[in-house]
Amino acid sequence: MALPKRIIKETERLMNEPVPGISAVPHEDNLRYFDVTIDGPSQSPYEGGLFKLELFLPDDYPMTPPKIRFLTKIYHPNIDRLGRICLDVLKSNWSPALQIRTILLSIQALLGAPNPDDPLANDVAQKWKEDQNAAIETARQWTQEHAKP
Amino acid sequence: MADHSSSRPQHQSPAHRDMMFCHECQDEWYRDQHGLTCPECGSDFTEIIEDDNDPRDHHLQDHGESDDGTDSLPGLEEVPPYQDLVHTPWLDSVQNENRAQNNDPEEGDISNLQWRQVGPGRFAVTGTMYRTVSPHDLSGGGGGGRGGGLDTGPIGGFAAMLNSIIGGARLHQDVEGQDPNSQHQHTHAPQNTGSGTTADGHRFTYTAGARLYPRDANHPGPQIEPLDELNNVLVGLMAAFGEGPGGNHPHAHHHNVHAHSGPDDDGSARGTPLSPLMALFSQVMAGNGQIGDAVYSQEALDRIISQLMEQNSTSNAPGPASQADIDSLPRKLVTNEMLGSEGKAECSICMDEVQIGEEVTELPCHHWFHHTCVSAWLAEHDTCPHCRKGITQRPDASNHAGSSNDRSTGNPSAAADSMQSPNPPMPGSFEVSGSEPSGNAMEDNDPSAYRLQNTDQTRPQESRPSDSSSGGIGGILRRGLFGPQN
């Protein structure tokens, strides 16, 4: 199946105009599969961490959202221990006007603004609500432990 | 007791050395060094020492036992009361055997199963059965038609069970449950029916392996083929060993098993095959992780949850717009106004640049796209890719009342829209890497707003056959439970 022009364009733009703090590099043997890294946003417990993700563009992309998963262990109420991300634009609020770039920015923003009221990792969200400072400290520790560049 | 000096040494698993004990002189030696006959006094009255059956203790307690070297005594022995309670399919023959038993308690029927896990998904099953048959059994006891002939019932069935369960797996010979007899004749189950063994009128020790074959070259018999379906096998095993995993069946084989010290002796049980047996089956299933619809491991559960999440990933999204509505969308030609500040614009779905004079389709919200691009999207979700406003103007527009809030909560092109001062907003004309991302970033702050609003919109979507991917489990269930939707 030929690669749609849109994917080629997106890839080119990601290469030519990279987003600060974000990189997405397609696999040579599968141009729909990207190795992604996202820098932890500053002023967040993930600051200083380099988070690896995998991103896959399904056949019907952009009519369906890309599939994205954290590969780096991360302590976040909207990311579960398998790295699955609870983000509306990756699910029901996907729009074909969104792009890899915008989705990755959304994920970076999610790191900066955890939302324990819409959790995927229930235990983490619980901790986040009960004792936010402790949860943030745990997130910081995990970042030191698992997300060192 | 010391009867069959002719029996061959038993094959032992290499890892284990049997310690022998002589009842005459109380000498002890390794069986693989000196065999079954006492190297000190030459007596045949010897026994294998086991962890749970130490003849040395017994020798001290009950010396009188040693005088019953009379295996061929007629069936004087009464059926022990517990035998009636043994819940086995071959109860009759068990009783027969017991009627025929001599009073050497060591010759009580012994079934000993050892189930051990030797690796992930691999098991070693060790079974030893001891059956006593006397010639008198043929004429007396439970009737002429029974006796030795029926002894194949339990043994053959048992063998078939083992065979069925483990298939060709190699079975260790029993290393722990040895009957403390000095001699063991290994016979094949069918041989018990044959004249040879019953005519001998003596004791047989049957050591079962997963693959059964004649162990006695003097009494060859046909190979036993697996006879039972696994179900029957399991039922048989449960029945044979009592119900609970703990093996608390008060009159199950435990009594048989330790018949060494006499039928009246309720002492230490010879082995407790029950709980390992239960553990076996649960482990077998757990090892595979997935059997049928059940889930036995965290990975399997994660896999299923991931599947559900993927299948339902867009199920909360708004349903499709009707084809008529899509077809009736107004077309317009790209004008210079629609281009951005750099004089370029692109369809944000295919990301192809549009040229002045090219025909595009405009939605009610005035966002425009290639017709093929936006109709493909609208056929799945009735939302504008930029502002999420639906194109359908219907009385049931309660959805769209909600959709109008999108602008205030943020949407993919909110920032782009606000950047574009001219009316109407032309989101297709914003610069590719312009402010769009920040619009998305903002959106994350209030994702739940969409959730609530969108849940109302799932119904029309699931009634569309074209929307197979987003119908998901819910749609399948609904169709399955309530029939096709109208």
Side-chain angles (χ1 to χ4, degrees):
Chain A
M1 181 172 165
L3 205 63
K5 221 195 271 181
R6 162 160 169 163
I7 295 180
I8 296 170
K9 284 196 175 187
E10 277 203 70
T11 307
E12 281 174 359
R13 287 180 196 173
L14 282 168
M15 297 293 122
N16 297 336
E17 309 158 37
V19 191
I22 291 177
S23 82
V25 182
H27 276 206
E28 274 182 17
D29 54 346
N30 184 356
L31 295 173
R32 290 176 174 271
Y33 187 91
F34 290 75
D35 287 324
V36 175
T37 60
I38 295 180
D39 290 349
S42 59
Q43 320 244 329
S44 79
Y46 312 102
E47 183 171 9
L50 182 70
F51 296 89
K52 290 196 175 81
L53 299 89
E54 61 179 2
L55 182 149
F56 180 73
L57 302 175
D59 281 346
D60 41 2
Y61 178 82
M63 294 304 157
T64 57
K67 299 185 185 311
I68 309 185
R69 191 170 78 89
F70 269 85
L71 298 175
T72 303
K73 218 158 128 61
I74 181 170
Y75 192 80
H76 190 288
N78 307 105
I79 301 164
D80 75 2
R81 66 192 168 76
L82 296 183
R84 299 177 297 210
I85 305 164
C86 179
L87 184 61
D88 64 331
V89 289
L90 287 175
K91 308 272 166 59
S92 56
N93 274 340
W94 167 252
S95 145
L98 296 169
Q99 303 174 13
I100 297 172
R101 162 196 305 274
T102 56
I103 285 297
L104 294 182
L105 280 165
S106 296
I107 291 170
Q108 195 180 38
L110 183 68
L111 295 188
N115 181 5
D117 292 322
D118 186 21
L120 189 58
N122 264 313
D123 48 339
V124 179
Q126 191 68 27
K127 295 246 170 55
W128 217 277
K129 283 176 162 175
E130 286 169 4
D131 187 349
Q132 184 169 338
N133 288 337
I136 287 174
E137 186 50 41
T138 306
R140 191 169 283 128
Q141 284 169 5
W142 281 39
T143 301
Q144 295 302 314
E145 204 170 317
H146 304 289
K148 285 323 269 179
Chain B
M1 184 79 201
D3 44 344
H4 297 294
S5 55
S6 61
S7 64
R8 301 163 303 134
Q10 202 163 347
H11 302 286
Q12 290 296 320
S13 78
H16 183 87
R17 296 185 80 186
D18 277 337
M19 180 70 85
M20 298 298 298
F21 173 76
C22 175
H23 282 268
E24 296 289 345
C25 63
Q26 281 102 60
D27 188 25
E28 295 175 29
W29 68 98
Y30 279 120
R31 182 166 136 191
D32 52 0
Q33 284 179 340
H34 300 293
L36 296 168
T37 305
C38 176
E40 280 297 316
C41 64
S43 167
D44 286 332
F45 188 20
T46 58
E47 188 170 344
I48 299 171
I49 298 171
E50 298 170 0
D51 290 342
D52 53 354
N53 179 21
D54 194 332
R56 291 167 291 193
D57 300 341
H58 191 71
H59 198 269
L60 298 174
Q61 292 166 8
D62 183 9
H63 199 269
E65 182 187 332
S66 61
D67 64 357
D68 59 359
T70 51
D71 283 312
S72 54
L73 271 183
L76 298 176
E77 183 131 335
E78 290 199 357
V79 179
Y82 59 83
Q83 286 293 346
D84 291 325
L85 302 172
V86 173
H87 208 52
T88 73
W90 45 83
L91 179 61
D92 282 350
S93 56
V94 170
Q95 287 178 336
N96 270 338
E97 288 170 18
N98 279 283
R99 284 193 190 101
Q101 260 176 9
N102 58 52
N103 56 4
D104 182 354
E106 293 182 0
E107 293 175 352
D109 295 337
I110 292 167
S111 306
N112 194 351
L113 270 184
Q114 305 283 334
W115 302 78
R116 282 191 302 272
Q117 185 165 16
V118 298
R122 298 184 54 194
F123 297 88
V125 180
T126 307
T128 303
M129 297 193 86
Y130 299 93
R131 288 291 183 269
T132 304
V133 180
S134 92
H136 302 268
D137 198 30
L138 290 172
S139 50
R146 291 177 168 179
L150 281 187
D151 285 336
T152 33
I155 296 178
F158 175 74
M161 280 182 201
L162 285 176
N163 229 356
S164 303
I165 292 175
I166 341 172
R170 173 90 181 99
L171 197 91
H172 298 220
Q173 283 211 6
D174 186 15
V175 292
E176 296 175 4
Q178 286 295 349
D179 188 54
N181 295 323
S182 54
Q183 296 90 19
H184 299 276
Q185 275 195 358
H186 300 274
T187 78
H188 191 34
Q191 292 169 355
N192 286 337
T193 60
S195 57
T197 52
T198 49
D200 286 350
H202 293 304
R203 180 172 50 220
F204 300 94
T205 299
Y206 179 81
T207 301
R211 197 168 282 268
L212 297 167
Y213 49 90
R215 305 192 66 91
D216 187 344
N218 297 325
H219 305 285
Q223 179 136 3
I224 294 182
E225 296 298 328
L227 299 174
D228 285 331
E229 298 283 334
L230 182 60
N231 256 358
N232 300 337
V233 170
L234 293 182
V235 168
L237 282 171
M238 297 310 135
F241 293 105
E243 55 241 27
N248 291 328
H249 212 285
H251 33 64
H253 266 218
H254 289 289
H255 296 270
N256 272 351
V257 160
H258 69 266
H260 162 69
S261 48
D264 299 329
D265 186 338
D266 281 337
S268 66
R270 170 68 80 84
T272 51
L274 304 196
S275 45
L277 186 68
M278 296 303 165
L280 169 77
F281 290 118
S282 60
Q283 280 167 333
V284 164
M285 307 204 167
N288 291 332
Q290 211 175 0
I291 289 184
D293 291 335
V295 175
Y296 292 94
S297 68
Q298 185 67 49
E299 294 93 84
L301 183 64
D302 286 339
R303 193 163 56 240
I304 287 173
I305 290 176
S306 290
Q307 269 176 11
L308 289 173
M309 286 172 69
E310 277 186 17
Q311 284 170 340
N312 280 318
S313 61
T314 53
S315 65
N316 279 343
S322 74
Q323 194 59 46
D325 284 337
I326 294 172
D327 290 341
S328 63
L329 287 169
R331 317 287 175 101
K332 64 188 273 187
L333 299 181
V334 176
T335 63
N336 199 31
E337 284 180 351
M338 292 160 66
L339 303 183
S341 53
E342 292 181 358
K344 284 185 189 173
E346 64 178 24
C347 168
S348 55
I349 296 178
C350 66
M351 292 176 70
D352 270 351
E353 210 172 290
V354 295
Q355 309 296 329
I356 290 178
E358 198 175 337
E359 188 186 78
V360 293
T361 295
E362 191 181 53
L363 305 193
C365 55
H366 304 298
H367 296 123
W368 54 263
F369 310 89
H370 285 134
H371 182 76
T372 50
C373 296
V374 78
S375 60
W377 171 252
L378 291 172
E380 291 186 33
H381 306 284
D382 180 12
T383 60
C384 169
H386 282 302
C387 66
R388 296 207 167 90
K389 189 170 180 182
I391 64 165
T392 309
Q393 313 290 335
R394 290 267 170 83
D396 66 335
S398 57
N399 305 338
H400 308 302
S403 297
S404 64
N405 292 333
D406 291 351
R407 285 183 173 269
S408 58
T409 56
N411 59 55
S413 59
D417 286 350
S418 60
M419 185 187 74
Q420 305 245 327
S421 42
N423 270 338
M426 290 294 173
S429 63
F430 59 73
E431 291 170 18
V432 178
S433 55
S435 51
E436 190 186 13
S438 62
N440 284 292
M442 285 166 52
E443 186 178 47
D444 300 328
N445 295 330
D446 194 10
S448 54
Y450 301 116
R451 287 271 159 67
L452 295 170
Q453 156 224 331
N454 286 327
T455 45
D456 294 330
Q457 303 177 333
T458 55
R459 256 171 281 117
Q461 164 205 347
E462 283 172 358
S463 61
R464 293 288 180 108
S466 67
D467 200 33
S468 57
S469 67
S470 54
I473 294 289
I476 291 168
L477 283 179
R478 238 166 278 205
R479 282 190 290 275
L481 291 173
F482 305 113
Q485 306 231 330
N486 297 324

